[in-house]
Amino acid sequence: MSSIIPVASLGTPRIGLKRELKFALESYWSGKFDQATLQQTAKDLRAVNWARQKARGVDIIPSNDFSFYDQVLDTSLMVGAIPAIYGEAADLDTYCAMARGSQAGHTETCAHGHVHGNGHGVPAQEMTKWFDTNYHYMVPEFTDDQTFKLTSLKAVEEFLEAKALGYHTRPVLVGPVTYLKLGKGVANPLSLIERLIPVYIEVLKALAAAGADWVQIDEPVLVLDGDAETTAALKKTYAAFAKEVPQISILLASYFGGLGDNLEAAVNLPVAGLHVDLVRAPEQLEAVVQAAPKSLTLSLGVIDGRNIWRANLPAVLERLTAAATRGNLQIAPSCSLLHVPIDLNLETALDEDVKSWLAFSLQKMDELSVLSKALSGGNVAAELTASADAAQARAASPKVHDAAVKARVLAVTPDQTQRKHAFAIRADLQRQAFNLPAFPTTTIGSFPQTSEVRKARSNHAKGAIDDARYDTFLKAETERAIRWQEDIGLDVLVHGEFERNDMVQYFGEQLSGFAFTKHAWVQSYGSRCVRPPVLFGDVSRPQPMTVAWWQYAQSLTTKPVKGMLTGPVTILNWSFVRDDVPRSQACRQIALAIRDEVTDLEAAGAKMIQIDEAALREGLPLRRADWQAYLDWAVEAFRLCSTGVSNDTQIHTHMCYSEFNDIMDAVANMDADVISIETSRSKMELLDVFRSKKYPNEIGPGVYDIHSPRVPDVSEMTELMSLARQRLSDAQLWVNPDCGLKTRKWDEVRPALVNMVAAAKALREPA
Ligand code: GLN
Ligand code: ZN
C-alpha cells in the first residue's frame, strides 16, 4: 500500500515560542511599540510558523490561522460586524477596542489615531469560551437590521504573504454557520445567514484570485446536537459556495467531538473535503468512511490537538489500516494545535520520564509525518518502535501508578459522600455555633495581588529572597488583611491567598501526580497565556497544603476565618489531564486528596471551609446527552471531598458563572451549606431558579461586580439585596462580592467592601 497520504495542519499556536506576540501586543497597548513594529513582529511569527511546519513535514500548511487576538473577532472585522459604538473603521485600533475596550482620554497612551465613543470610552465585547476549550473568543454582536460587508482582507493578505515566501497555503476561515451561532443580540442569529453568505463568497473569490485552490472552513457546530435549522443553514451556505466559487475546494472542518446526528448532513454537503476528529470520537471512523462519497477527501484527525500526550503510533496505524485502502485521505491533528504548547524541547527541567510521554505542537507534526511515511510504505520502524516503547513505559511506570490510591478509590463507600445529617439539622447547629448576625458578610477568598506580592513571589522563585524572608513577607500581608477585615466589620474573614500563584497551580504543585512546565504556554485569551498543570499520574496529598496558612490567619482573630480550597472538578478542568483513565476516575482521586485537606483543616480547628468549584459548569459536555453522566461524577467528587466533616462544620462553595437554570439539581445535590455566586450584573435574576427549585441551603449572591474597577455605593448593594430577598428567605442570605478580589486594586476594594458592610447593616435594621 503506497499511496501518499499528505499531512495537513489545521492551525498552529500563534503566540510564539517565547510569547513574542503577547509582549508585542502589550508594548503596543502601552505605547512602547508603534503599529509598524507590532505588524513586523506578527509577520515574523507567521514566517517562523510556516517554515517550521514545512520543516516538520507538513504538506498542507494553513494561513490566516494567525490572529492578533482571536479568530472570531477577526471574522467580525472581515464581515463588518462592528457595533456602532466602535465606529466605522475596520482597523487595528477598532479591533483592539472591541477586544479590550478603550478608555476616555486613552489616545496618548494607546497610540490610537482616533477616539472612540465620543471620548467616553467603550467597553470590550463580551468574551466567552470557545466550545469546551479554555480558549476565549469575542462574542459577535448583531442587530435586527444587521448588514454585512467585506471590510477586511486579512485572509487574502496572509495567503499572499505566505505565497511571497514560497508557501502555497490552505487559508482558514471560521465557518459562517458557526460564526452566527456564537453571536448574540438578535433572537435568532442564524436568520442572518442569507445576508452573510455573499460576504464569504467575496472572500472566497478574492482568495481564488490570489491563487488559493483549497480553503479550510471550520464548522465545529457540526459536533453539537443537530437541529433542522442549523442543517438547513449549512446546506444553504455550502450550496451557495459550490455554485458561486466552484474553483475553490472547501475542506469543511469538524472538531471537538463526533459528527453524531450530523453525519449524514455533513458527508453530503457539496464540499470537497471533510475533517473529522478521531481523537475525541475514534468510533466514528468506520461510519464516516462508509457514509462519505468516494469523491470526498477525508481529513482524519488522529493526533490529539487538545492534549499533550505522545501518541502510540503503531496503535494509531492499526486503527487506520482499513480506512487507508479507501484513498483520498489526509491525516491531521484532531483540531488546530492552538490548544497545545509549542515545543517540548524547551522543557529542560521536566522529569525525564514524564517528558518522554509528551508531545507538543512540533512533536505532534513529527508524529504525523511518521504516520504518513508509514502509510505510504516508508521505513520508519525505529520511530514506530520508539513511540510504542514510550507508551509502554508510561503505562507501566511507577510514577503513574500508585496502588494505594487505586485501592482507596475502589474502597469509597456511599456514606463517604453523605453529610451526617440533612441541611436543616446542620443549619441549626451551625447557627448556634457561629452566632452570626443576619445577612452575614464575607468575601470569596483572594485579596489584591499587588505588584509587591507578585514581585516577592518572582524574587522568591528566582532565589533572590530566601524562604524565611518570603514567609515573613506573606505573613505580614496576611496579618494586614485580617486586621483590615476586622476593622471594617466583616463577619467571616479570609486569609487573602497571598501565597497562591493560581488557584489550581498552588494545589497541583503540592499534590503528587502533577507536573509543571516552564514554557508550555497556551493562549487563554488575547495576550493572556496560561501554563496548565499536567496531570500524569495517580493523585495523592503527601502533606497538608493550606493548614499552616489557615492556622496563622485564625491565630490573629477571634472572628471565623474560612479555610480555602480549590475543588476537584476545577483542578481537573483547568489541567491537561491523563488520557489513560476516565476523567471521572482522575477526579475521584483528586477529591480524596482534597478530602484529606478538609479533614486536616477541621482537625486544626477550622469551622468553615470553602471549596471553590469555579469550573464545574464550564466542564459540561458539548452534547446534551452526555450532561447527566458528567454532572453525576462531578457532584459526587464534590461530595466526596466535602462531606467528611461534622455537622457543625460549615462547608462553603463558590461558583463563578452562575447561569444555573439547567444544572440546578446538580448544584443542590452538592449540598454545600453555603454557596456564593456571581449575580451582581444580572440584577439577581439568576436567583429565580433557586426560588423555583426551592433551593434550601444558604446563598451569597454577589453584590459587587469585581470585573470592574467601579466602586458600588451602599444603596446599589441594598437594592440588589432587596431583589434577592424577593426570591429567597432572609435566613438563607449572605452578603459578598461576585468573586475573588485578586485582580482588583486595594483602592477599589477598600471602599467597596466598606460599603458592602454598611449595606448589610442597613438590611439588619427593622424596616
Ligand atoms: N477563592 C478564589 C479567589 O477568591 C476563588 C476564585 C474563583 O473561583 N475564580 O480568588
Ligand atoms: Zn468566582
Side-chain angles (χ1 to χ4, degrees):
M1 161 71 240
S2 64
S3 72
I4 303 296
I5 298 188
V7 173
S9 159
L10 304 195
T12 51
R14 49 221 180 191
I15 206 78
L17 205 51
K18 301 198 169 116
R19 287 181 293 158
E20 292 87 341
L21 182 59
K22 169 195 177 70
F23 299 117
L25 278 169
E26 289 170 0
S27 297
Y28 175 66
W29 292 330
S30 73
K32 244 183 277 157
F33 273 13
D34 61 12
Q35 197 177 124
T37 313
L38 174 65
Q39 294 284 7
Q40 188 58 47
T41 308
K43 201 169 170 186
D44 293 346
L45 285 169
R46 291 191 289 265
V48 166
N49 263 344
W50 289 319
R52 265 200 205 119
Q53 293 175 87
K54 173 120 194 161
R56 299 270 168 168
V58 175
D59 302 297
I60 300 168
I61 296 174
S63 60
N64 201 40
D65 57 330
F66 175 84
S67 176
F68 273 120
Y69 206 94
D70 158 47
Q71 68 269 11
V72 179
L73 180 58
D74 292 351
T75 310
S76 290
L77 248 70
M78 179 177 91
V79 303
I82 303 171
I85 53 160
Y86 301 103
E88 294 268 291
D91 59 14
L92 186 61
D93 290 330
T94 301
Y95 182 87
C96 290
M98 287 165 78
R100 315 172 58 235
S102 75
Q103 253 135 52
H106 205 49
T107 43
E108 68 284 359
T109 53
C110 200
H112 279 200
H114 51 270
V115 183
H116 303 275
N118 301 324
H120 295 303
V122 290
Q125 287 197 304
E126 187 186 327
M127 179 168 79
T128 193
K129 293 202 175 202
W130 173 245
F131 295 83
D132 60 354
T133 72
N134 283 324
Y135 172 86
H136 301 68
Y137 70 90
M138 306 307 299
V139 179
E141 286 169 55
F142 307 124
T143 53
D144 287 321
D145 59 355
Q146 183 72 44
T147 55
F148 298 103
K149 63 172 190 282
L150 180 57
T151 47
S152 158
L153 281 169
K154 173 179 178 289
V156 181
E157 286 155 11
E158 288 182 16
F159 175 80
L160 290 171
E161 186 180 307
K163 193 173 167 188
L165 294 171
Y167 307 103
H168 179 75
T169 55
R170 185 172 70 187
V172 186
L173 300 173
V174 175
V177 177
T178 296
Y179 173 72
L180 287 179
K181 283 197 84 167
L182 297 180
K184 64 167 192 184
V186 295
N188 178 14
L190 267 190
S191 65
L192 303 171
I193 192 72
E194 308 228 28
R195 295 183 218 171
L196 183 59
I197 289 172
V199 180
Y200 269 78
I201 289 175
E202 267 187 86
V203 175
L204 292 171
K205 283 188 171 158
L207 284 169
D213 45 8
W214 279 81
V215 174
Q216 171 188 327
I217 304 191
D218 289 356
E219 291 285 13
V221 291
L222 283 167
V223 309
L224 305 180
D225 290 326
D227 64 79
E229 206 195 354
T230 305
T231 308
L234 287 164
K235 282 187 179 153
K236 185 174 290 171
T237 302
Y238 291 92
F241 293 174
K243 176 159 177 280
E244 300 294 331
V245 206
Q247 64 274 39
I248 289 284
S249 298
I250 289 169
L251 176 95
L252 186 67
S254 70
Y255 45 74
F256 303 151
L259 292 166
D261 54 348
N262 295 311
L263 174 69
E264 273 312 305
V267 296
N268 289 308
L269 288 170
V271 292
L274 176 68
H275 173 83
V276 290
D277 184 339
L278 296 177
V279 173
R280 282 285 181 86
E283 71 287 346
Q284 68 174 339
L285 176 60
E286 279 71 38
V288 170
V289 168
Q290 210 160 62
K294 290 277 171 291
S295 59
L296 187 69
T297 298
L298 288 180
S299 165
L300 308 179
V302 289
I303 293 293
D304 197 344
R306 289 285 299 275
N307 211 333
I308 40 63
W309 301 106
R310 186 173 175 180
N312 182 349
L313 296 178
V316 175
L317 276 175
E318 201 174 299
R319 285 207 311 273
L320 287 180
T321 327
T325 57
R326 171 192 192 267
N328 205 6
L329 296 176
Q330 302 171 1
I331 52 169
S334 57
C335 59
S336 166
L337 294 169
L338 178 66
H339 310 287
V340 293
I342 299 177
D343 187 3
L344 179 63
N345 288 328
L346 293 185
E347 299 304 324
T348 49
L350 200 58
D351 177 280
E352 277 302 316
D353 286 329
V354 174
K355 189 172 166 184
S356 73
W357 306 331
L358 303 180
F360 295 174
S361 77
L362 298 185
Q363 290 71 38
K364 287 171 187 287
M365 293 176 200
D366 292 342
E367 293 184 319
L368 286 162
S369 140
V370 171
L371 286 173
S372 165
K373 285 187 188 132
L375 287 166
S376 46
N379 182 6
V380 280
E383 287 88 340
L384 294 178
T385 308
S387 170
D389 286 352
Q392 206 165 46
R394 180 181 161 207
S397 171
K399 290 182 184 169
V400 173
H401 301 286
D402 181 333
V405 172
K406 290 191 208 301
R408 192 174 172 207
V409 166
L410 283 176
V412 169
T413 53
D415 64 297
Q416 281 178 294
T417 55
Q418 288 281 1
R419 293 292 293 264
K420 289 174 190 69
H421 284 101
F423 173 74
I425 296 173
R426 303 191 316 255
D428 270 349
L429 291 168
Q430 290 166 17
R431 237 163 248 142
Q432 287 162 29
F434 301 134
N435 199 22
L436 293 170
F439 306 107
T441 53
T442 191
T443 62
I444 308 304
S446 58
F447 277 123
Q449 290 262 328
T450 57
S451 55
E452 296 87 81
V453 171
R454 278 180 279 129
K455 198 180 303 144
R457 179 179 310 131
S458 83
N459 281 337
H460 177 244
K462 281 191 286 212
I465 60 172
D466 63 16
D467 291 354
R469 254 184 77 191
Y470 185 50
D471 195 65
T472 308
F473 169 83
L474 291 174
K475 281 194 168 132
E477 289 291 313
T478 307
E479 175 162 13
R480 205 163 346 151
I482 293 282
R483 295 280 167 257
W484 182 76
Q485 292 172 83
E486 280 189 321
D487 284 351
I488 69 159
L490 280 157
D491 300 307
V492 172
L493 312 193
V494 296
H495 76 287
E497 302 182 26
F498 301 106
E499 78 288 8
R500 300 187 188 178
N501 37 18
D502 169 88
M503 64 186 283
V504 169
Q505 188 178 349
Y506 180 76
F507 291 93
E509 282 174 348
Q510 301 185 74
L511 294 168
S512 52
F514 283 90
F516 288 83
T517 58
K518 287 239 161 23
H519 307 281
W521 298 99
V522 290
Q523 193 177 9
S524 170
Y525 60 89
S527 67
R528 182 167 160 77
C529 302
V530 294
R531 273 177 311 176
V534 176
L535 171 54
F536 66 89
D538 290 336
V539 175
S540 60
R541 186 208 61 151
Q543 58 198 27
M545 303 182 283
T546 64
V547 175
W549 281 112
W550 175 82
Q551 272 173 322
Y552 174 69
Q554 186 66 81
S555 76
L556 302 168
T557 178
T558 52
K559 295 232 172 131
V561 177
K562 289 189 278 192
M564 193 62 62
L565 303 173
T566 301
V569 187
T570 299
I571 293 179
L572 184 88
N573 283 346
W574 286 349
S575 300
F576 281 122
V577 297
R578 311 170 60 165
D579 60 355
D580 58 341
V581 297
R583 293 170 75 85
S584 54
Q585 174 135 356
C587 197
R588 242 185 187 198
Q589 295 184 355
I590 304 170
L592 283 167
I594 300 295
R595 182 181 174 100
D596 292 343
E597 189 70 15
V598 170
T599 305
D600 284 347
L601 278 169
E602 185 181 48
K607 301 305 279 172
M608 295 180 180
I609 300 171
Q610 179 174 314
I611 307 170
D612 296 325
E613 283 294 19
L616 190 137
R617 193 188 190 287
E618 70 184 45
L620 279 175
L622 292 175
R623 284 193 185 262
R624 200 65 187 226
D626 303 328
W627 279 26
Q628 199 53 50
Y630 165 78
L631 289 170
D632 286 349
W633 64 252
V635 170
E636 196 231 33
F638 182 83
R639 293 176 65 117
L640 183 55
C641 74
S642 64
T643 55
V645 293
S646 72
N647 283 321
D648 56 358
T649 297
Q650 190 170 62
I651 296 291
H652 292 232
T653 190
H654 167 73
M655 291 168 85
C656 293
Y657 184 62
S658 304
E659 175 58 76
F660 291 144
N661 287 329
D662 38 17
I663 62 162
M664 195 59 219
D665 293 332
V667 173
N669 261 334
M670 289 166 72
D671 199 22
D673 297 304
V674 185
I675 183 172
S676 60
I677 60 176
E678 198 166 314
T679 43
S680 73
R681 283 193 192 187
S682 79
K683 305 218 161 44
M684 300 289 160
E685 277 161 16
L686 294 168
L687 292 180
D688 287 342
V689 63
F690 286 82
R691 173 172 62 178
S692 63
K693 291 267 183 173
K694 302 197 169 48
Y695 182 78
N697 301 15
E698 295 178 20
I699 308 181
V703 293
Y704 163 22
D705 174 9
I706 61 90
H707 299 294
S708 161
R710 237 184 101 249
V711 175
D713 62 27
V714 178
S715 64
E716 192 176 324
M717 294 195 259
T718 50
E719 193 66 31
L720 281 171
M721 286 305 293
S722 74
L723 293 172
R725 293 170 79 181
Q726 290 167 13
R727 293 168 167 92
L728 297 161
S729 78
D730 287 358
Q732 282 179 286
L733 289 169
W734 287 61
V735 178
N736 49 252
D738 270 345
C739 191
L741 300 163
K742 60 179 162 243
T743 57
R744 296 265 59 91
K745 297 194 166 69
W746 273 111
D747 284 348
E748 300 152 3
V749 165
R750 277 195 207 98
L753 292 185
V754 166
N755 289 351
M756 192 184 85
V757 170
K761 289 199 172 128
L763 295 172
R764 287 168 202 157
E765 253 138 51

PDB file of all heavy atoms in Angstrom, residues 444-446 497 500 503 564 574 610 612 614 654 656 739-742, ligand 1:
ATOM      1  N   ILE A 444     -14.769  36.222  48.926  1.00  0.00           N
ATOM      2  CA  ILE A 444     -14.657  34.918  48.256  1.00  0.00           C
ATOM      3  C   ILE A 444     -13.284  34.277  48.452  1.00  0.00           C
ATOM      4  O   ILE A 444     -13.098  33.099  48.182  1.00  0.00           O
ATOM      5  CB  ILE A 444     -15.015  35.056  46.763  1.00  0.00           C
ATOM      6  CG1 ILE A 444     -16.362  35.750  46.605  1.00  0.00           C
ATOM      7  CG2 ILE A 444     -15.056  33.710  46.050  1.00  0.00           C
ATOM      8  CD1 ILE A 444     -17.520  35.089  47.341  1.00  0.00           C
ATOM      9  N   GLY A 445     -12.312  35.027  48.928  1.00  0.00           N
ATOM     10  CA  GLY A 445     -11.035  34.395  49.262  1.00  0.00           C
ATOM     11  C   GLY A 445      -9.816  35.241  49.019  1.00  0.00           C
ATOM     12  O   GLY A 445      -9.052  35.518  49.927  1.00  0.00           O
ATOM     13  N   SER A 446      -9.622  35.666  47.772  1.00  0.00           N
ATOM     14  CA  SER A 446      -8.377  36.383  47.491  1.00  0.00           C
ATOM     15  C   SER A 446      -8.559  37.875  47.700  1.00  0.00           C
ATOM     16  O   SER A 446      -9.633  38.439  47.469  1.00  0.00           O
ATOM     17  CB  SER A 446      -7.933  36.108  46.059  1.00  0.00           C
ATOM     18  OG  SER A 446      -8.929  36.486  45.149  1.00  0.00           O
ATOM     19  N   GLU A 497      -5.097  34.660  50.459  1.00  0.00           N
ATOM     20  CA  GLU A 497      -4.482  33.884  49.360  1.00  0.00           C
ATOM     21  C   GLU A 497      -3.225  34.527  48.760  1.00  0.00           C
ATOM     22  O   GLU A 497      -2.893  34.293  47.601  1.00  0.00           O
ATOM     23  CB  GLU A 497      -5.519  33.585  48.250  1.00  0.00           C
ATOM     24  CG  GLU A 497      -6.732  32.813  48.754  1.00  0.00           C
ATOM     25  CD  GLU A 497      -7.746  32.464  47.648  1.00  0.00           C
ATOM     26  OE1 GLU A 497      -7.360  32.361  46.476  1.00  0.00           O
ATOM     27  OE2 GLU A 497      -8.934  32.279  47.998  1.00  0.00           O
ATOM     28  N   ARG A 500      -0.647  32.235  47.073  1.00  0.00           N
ATOM     29  CA  ARG A 500      -1.036  31.407  45.918  1.00  0.00           C
ATOM     30  C   ARG A 500      -0.731  32.107  44.602  1.00  0.00           C
ATOM     31  O   ARG A 500      -1.144  33.240  44.389  1.00  0.00           O
ATOM     32  CB  ARG A 500      -2.531  31.064  45.996  1.00  0.00           C
ATOM     33  CG  ARG A 500      -2.821  30.306  47.275  1.00  0.00           C
ATOM     34  CD  ARG A 500      -4.226  29.792  47.367  1.00  0.00           C
ATOM     35  NE  ARG A 500      -4.409  29.252  48.715  1.00  0.00           N
ATOM     36  CZ  ARG A 500      -5.520  28.742  49.186  1.00  0.00           C
ATOM     37  NH1 ARG A 500      -6.598  28.696  48.416  1.00  0.00           N
ATOM     38  NH2 ARG A 500      -5.573  28.275  50.415  1.00  0.00           N
ATOM     39  N   MET A 503      -5.134  29.487  41.608  1.00  0.00           N
ATOM     40  CA  MET A 503      -5.954  28.634  42.467  1.00  0.00           C
ATOM     41  C   MET A 503      -5.859  27.141  42.127  1.00  0.00           C
ATOM     42  O   MET A 503      -6.255  26.301  42.945  1.00  0.00           O
ATOM     43  CB  MET A 503      -7.418  29.098  42.490  1.00  0.00           C
ATOM     44  CG  MET A 503      -8.145  29.007  41.177  1.00  0.00           C
ATOM     45  SD  MET A 503      -9.809  29.736  41.272  1.00  0.00           S
ATOM     46  CE  MET A 503     -10.719  28.463  42.137  1.00  0.00           C
ATOM     47  N   MET A 564      -9.669  27.616  52.804  1.00  0.00           N
ATOM     48  CA  MET A 564      -9.919  27.967  51.404  1.00  0.00           C
ATOM     49  C   MET A 564      -9.247  26.972  50.468  1.00  0.00           C
ATOM     50  O   MET A 564      -8.031  26.875  50.423  1.00  0.00           O
ATOM     51  CB  MET A 564      -9.345  29.376  51.199  1.00  0.00           C
ATOM     52  CG  MET A 564      -9.772  30.027  49.934  1.00  0.00           C
ATOM     53  SD  MET A 564     -11.557  30.286  49.819  1.00  0.00           S
ATOM     54  CE  MET A 564     -11.865  31.400  51.192  1.00  0.00           C
ATOM     55  N   TRP A 574      -9.077  22.522  34.689  1.00  0.00           N
ATOM     56  CA  TRP A 574      -8.079  23.512  34.297  1.00  0.00           C
ATOM     57  C   TRP A 574      -6.686  22.906  34.141  1.00  0.00           C
ATOM     58  O   TRP A 574      -5.684  23.612  34.150  1.00  0.00           O
ATOM     59  CB  TRP A 574      -8.090  24.692  35.284  1.00  0.00           C
ATOM     60  CG  TRP A 574      -9.298  25.572  35.067  1.00  0.00           C
ATOM     61  CD1 TRP A 574     -10.167  25.526  34.020  1.00  0.00           C
ATOM     62  CD2 TRP A 574      -9.767  26.628  35.918  1.00  0.00           C
ATOM     63  NE1 TRP A 574     -11.147  26.483  34.155  1.00  0.00           N
ATOM     64  CE2 TRP A 574     -10.929  27.177  35.325  1.00  0.00           C
ATOM     65  CE3 TRP A 574      -9.319  27.165  37.133  1.00  0.00           C
ATOM     66  CZ2 TRP A 574     -11.635  28.227  35.891  1.00  0.00           C
ATOM     67  CZ3 TRP A 574     -10.037  28.218  37.696  1.00  0.00           C
ATOM     68  CH2 TRP A 574     -11.181  28.742  37.084  1.00  0.00           C
ATOM     69  N   GLN A 610     -14.245  26.566  52.677  1.00  0.00           N
ATOM     70  CA  GLN A 610     -14.795  26.853  51.350  1.00  0.00           C
ATOM     71  C   GLN A 610     -14.041  26.044  50.301  1.00  0.00           C
ATOM     72  O   GLN A 610     -12.814  26.011  50.279  1.00  0.00           O
ATOM     73  CB  GLN A 610     -14.654  28.352  51.054  1.00  0.00           C
ATOM     74  CG  GLN A 610     -15.178  28.742  49.684  1.00  0.00           C
ATOM     75  CD  GLN A 610     -15.161  30.245  49.494  1.00  0.00           C
ATOM     76  OE1 GLN A 610     -15.593  30.982  50.380  1.00  0.00           O
ATOM     77  NE2 GLN A 610     -14.661  30.703  48.354  1.00  0.00           N
ATOM     78  N   ASP A 612     -13.863  25.848  46.322  1.00  0.00           N
ATOM     79  CA  ASP A 612     -14.291  26.540  45.100  1.00  0.00           C
ATOM     80  C   ASP A 612     -14.467  25.566  43.950  1.00  0.00           C
ATOM     81  O   ASP A 612     -13.579  24.776  43.660  1.00  0.00           O
ATOM     82  CB  ASP A 612     -13.244  27.582  44.690  1.00  0.00           C
ATOM     83  CG  ASP A 612     -13.102  28.689  45.724  1.00  0.00           C
ATOM     84  OD1 ASP A 612     -14.126  29.056  46.324  1.00  0.00           O
ATOM     85  OD2 ASP A 612     -11.972  29.171  45.932  1.00  0.00           O
ATOM     86  N   ALA A 614     -15.148  26.766  40.668  1.00  0.00           N
ATOM     87  CA  ALA A 614     -15.318  27.793  39.638  1.00  0.00           C
ATOM     88  C   ALA A 614     -15.588  27.180  38.264  1.00  0.00           C
ATOM     89  O   ALA A 614     -16.321  27.737  37.454  1.00  0.00           O
ATOM     90  CB  ALA A 614     -14.071  28.663  39.584  1.00  0.00           C
ATOM     91  N   HIS A 654     -18.019  28.026  46.014  1.00  0.00           N
ATOM     92  CA  HIS A 654     -18.165  29.222  45.188  1.00  0.00           C
ATOM     93  C   HIS A 654     -18.153  28.808  43.727  1.00  0.00           C
ATOM     94  O   HIS A 654     -17.343  27.993  43.313  1.00  0.00           O
ATOM     95  CB  HIS A 654     -17.026  30.209  45.458  1.00  0.00           C
ATOM     96  CG  HIS A 654     -16.955  31.294  44.434  1.00  0.00           C
ATOM     97  ND1 HIS A 654     -17.878  32.310  44.382  1.00  0.00           N
ATOM     98  CD2 HIS A 654     -16.099  31.508  43.408  1.00  0.00           C
ATOM     99  CE1 HIS A 654     -17.590  33.099  43.350  1.00  0.00           C
ATOM    100  NE2 HIS A 654     -16.527  32.623  42.749  1.00  0.00           N
ATOM    101  N   CYS A 656     -18.367  30.597  39.803  1.00  0.00           N
ATOM    102  CA  CYS A 656     -18.274  31.916  39.167  1.00  0.00           C
ATOM    103  C   CYS A 656     -19.480  32.200  38.286  1.00  0.00           C
ATOM    104  O   CYS A 656     -20.350  32.970  38.632  1.00  0.00           O
ATOM    105  CB  CYS A 656     -17.015  32.017  38.323  1.00  0.00           C
ATOM    106  SG  CYS A 656     -15.531  31.986  39.325  1.00  0.00           S
ATOM    107  N   CYS A 739     -16.905  37.511  43.267  1.00  0.00           N
ATOM    108  CA  CYS A 739     -15.810  36.546  43.133  1.00  0.00           C
ATOM    109  C   CYS A 739     -14.618  37.059  43.934  1.00  0.00           C
ATOM    110  O   CYS A 739     -14.739  38.044  44.665  1.00  0.00           O
ATOM    111  CB  CYS A 739     -15.476  36.374  41.641  1.00  0.00           C
ATOM    112  SG  CYS A 739     -14.371  34.977  41.288  1.00  0.00           S
ATOM    113  N   GLY A 740     -13.485  36.388  43.795  1.00  0.00           N
ATOM    114  CA  GLY A 740     -12.264  36.802  44.485  1.00  0.00           C
ATOM    115  C   GLY A 740     -11.799  38.171  44.007  1.00  0.00           C
ATOM    116  O   GLY A 740     -12.155  38.627  42.922  1.00  0.00           O
ATOM    117  N   LEU A 741     -10.963  38.809  44.829  1.00  0.00           N
ATOM    118  CA  LEU A 741     -10.601  40.200  44.563  1.00  0.00           C
ATOM    119  C   LEU A 741      -9.155  40.341  44.094  1.00  0.00           C
ATOM    120  O   LEU A 741      -8.593  41.420  44.095  1.00  0.00           O
ATOM    121  CB  LEU A 741     -10.834  41.017  45.846  1.00  0.00           C
ATOM    122  CG  LEU A 741     -12.291  40.983  46.319  1.00  0.00           C
ATOM    123  CD1 LEU A 741     -12.413  41.433  47.772  1.00  0.00           C
ATOM    124  CD2 LEU A 741     -13.161  41.857  45.421  1.00  0.00           C
ATOM    125  N   LYS A 742      -8.565  39.234  43.653  1.00  0.00           N
ATOM    126  CA  LYS A 742      -7.124  39.278  43.356  1.00  0.00           C
ATOM    127  C   LYS A 742      -6.768  40.206  42.205  1.00  0.00           C
ATOM    128  O   LYS A 742      -5.663  40.717  42.160  1.00  0.00           O
ATOM    129  CB  LYS A 742      -6.586  37.868  43.113  1.00  0.00           C
ATOM    130  CG  LYS A 742      -7.223  37.126  41.974  1.00  0.00           C
ATOM    131  CD  LYS A 742      -6.590  35.737  41.810  1.00  0.00           C
ATOM    132  CE  LYS A 742      -7.485  34.837  40.995  1.00  0.00           C
ATOM    133  NZ  LYS A 742      -7.955  33.669  41.745  1.00  0.00           N
TER     134      LYS A 742
HETATM  135  N1  GLN B   1     -11.085  31.640  46.295  1.00  0.00           N
HETATM  136  C1  GLN B   1     -10.812  32.098  44.973  1.00  0.00           C
HETATM  137  C2  GLN B   1     -10.491  33.577  44.972  1.00  0.00           C
HETATM  138  O1  GLN B   1     -11.079  34.305  45.691  1.00  0.00           O
HETATM  139  C3  GLN B   1     -11.976  31.843  44.067  1.00  0.00           C
HETATM  140  C4  GLN B   1     -11.759  32.388  42.681  1.00  0.00           C
HETATM  141  C5  GLN B   1     -12.621  31.759  41.632  1.00  0.00           C
HETATM  142  O2  GLN B   1     -13.490  30.960  41.901  1.00  0.00           O
HETATM  143  N2  GLN B   1     -12.398  32.104  40.401  1.00  0.00           N
HETATM  144  O3  GLN B   1      -9.660  34.045  44.240  1.00  0.00           O
END
